Amino acid sequence: MTALDGRGIAGGTSDTFRILHVSTGNVCRSPITERLTRHALTDRLGDPLTRGLLVESAGTWGHEGAPMEANAAAVLADFGADAAGFTGRELLDEHVIRADLVLTATRDHRAQVISMGHSAGLRTFTLKEFTRLVRAIDPATLPDPLQDGVVERARSLVRAAAALRGWLLAPSVEADEVYDPYGAPITFFRSVGDEINTALDPVVTALTGTPARAG
């Protein structure tokens, strides 16, 4: 288990905040998003685990125990992120129950997570939807990560995003979708990786209160 894995660690405590990324097979989009999130958090916080942030992923039709797609691993290498040790998982009730924030690749994945129950509606968004919402939130209205902690800031961010959801709609049906690159050439995987990385940057900045380092 790597420092940012969080698999097997009991969630739901006040000093942890668990982010769950969801796609279909858990071998392409959600692994890329999981590992890019970890990479970005490490860039800002050093070791996010010491600040209470845990990152994991699963698939609605997850290939349990499968390795990450080779092209997905190549995309992560392009960003300097770590693909080592990943194994696919099927999305289970326990994953949703423990998650403080669920970010999905598509609106269909979001609907599937919410349909599982567990009061998931207010903490489940597509990745691009969450990006759009956090861009509209004034950082000054969130708890200070140094004084109040990153976990408290993250929890407040999710509540603020949920409150905005009905007021800040997507400009088009496609705007909240990250399309599946499974079986596609590396060029399409790289396009999806760029799309995910661009969407993640403002999210991680809002969660941590720290922008990415220049360079």
Side-chain angles (χ1 to χ4, degrees):
M1 181 183 300
T2 58
L4 288 179
D5 195 342
R7 300 181 183 190
I9 299 174
T13 60
S14 60
D15 59 348
T16 62
F17 184 90
R18 187 181 297 264
I19 303 168
L20 174 66
H21 294 294
V22 175
S23 63
T24 304
N26 194 216
V27 292
C28 297
R29 287 168 292 180
S30 51
I32 290 173
T33 316
E34 173 192 324
R35 296 304 176 94
L36 286 181
T37 302
R38 295 185 190 183
H39 184 66
L41 288 171
T42 300
D43 177 69
R44 290 158 171 79
L45 301 177
D47 181 1
L49 188 61
T50 66
R51 305 288 289 275
L53 300 181
L54 306 173
V55 186
E56 57 188 346
S57 64
T60 55
W61 290 86
H63 299 282
E64 189 74 29
M68 188 185 307
E69 280 288 298
N71 282 346
V75 166
L76 290 174
D78 290 343
F79 288 99
D82 185 11
F86 181 87
T87 55
R89 302 192 306 176
E90 183 175 356
L91 181 67
L92 302 176
D93 289 88
E94 66 188 69
H95 303 145
V96 177
I97 291 168
R98 295 186 304 187
D100 297 287
L101 171 62
V102 184
L103 296 176
T104 70
T106 69
R107 292 172 300 132
D108 184 59
H109 296 131
R110 181 185 64 193
Q112 290 180 67
V113 172
I114 293 172
S115 73
M116 295 172 72
H118 315 302
S119 303
L122 292 177
R123 50 195 168 90
T124 302
F125 310 80
T126 72
L127 171 62
K128 288 185 174 181
E129 174 191 22
F130 196 66
T131 300
R132 184 175 68 253
L133 295 172
V134 299
R135 284 184 184 276
I137 296 168
D138 182 355
T141 64
L142 300 172
D144 186 297
L146 296 178
Q147 294 184 3
D148 304 302
V150 172
V151 167
E152 184 54 38
R153 181 184 178 90
R155 293 187 190 282
S156 295
L157 182 69
V158 172
R159 290 193 294 268
L164 278 176
R165 179 150 47 190
W167 300 94
L168 194 61
L169 302 179
S172 68
V173 172
E174 295 79 17
D176 285 345
E177 305 285 291
V178 176
Y179 291 106
D180 193 356
Y182 186 79
I186 185 63
T187 51
F188 187 68
F189 269 84
R190 288 196 166 111
S191 175
V192 168
D194 287 339
E195 194 176 348
I196 290 170
N197 191 63
T198 298
L200 277 175
D201 180 70
V203 169
V204 176
T205 298
L207 285 168
T208 63
T210 305
R213 291 182 291 180

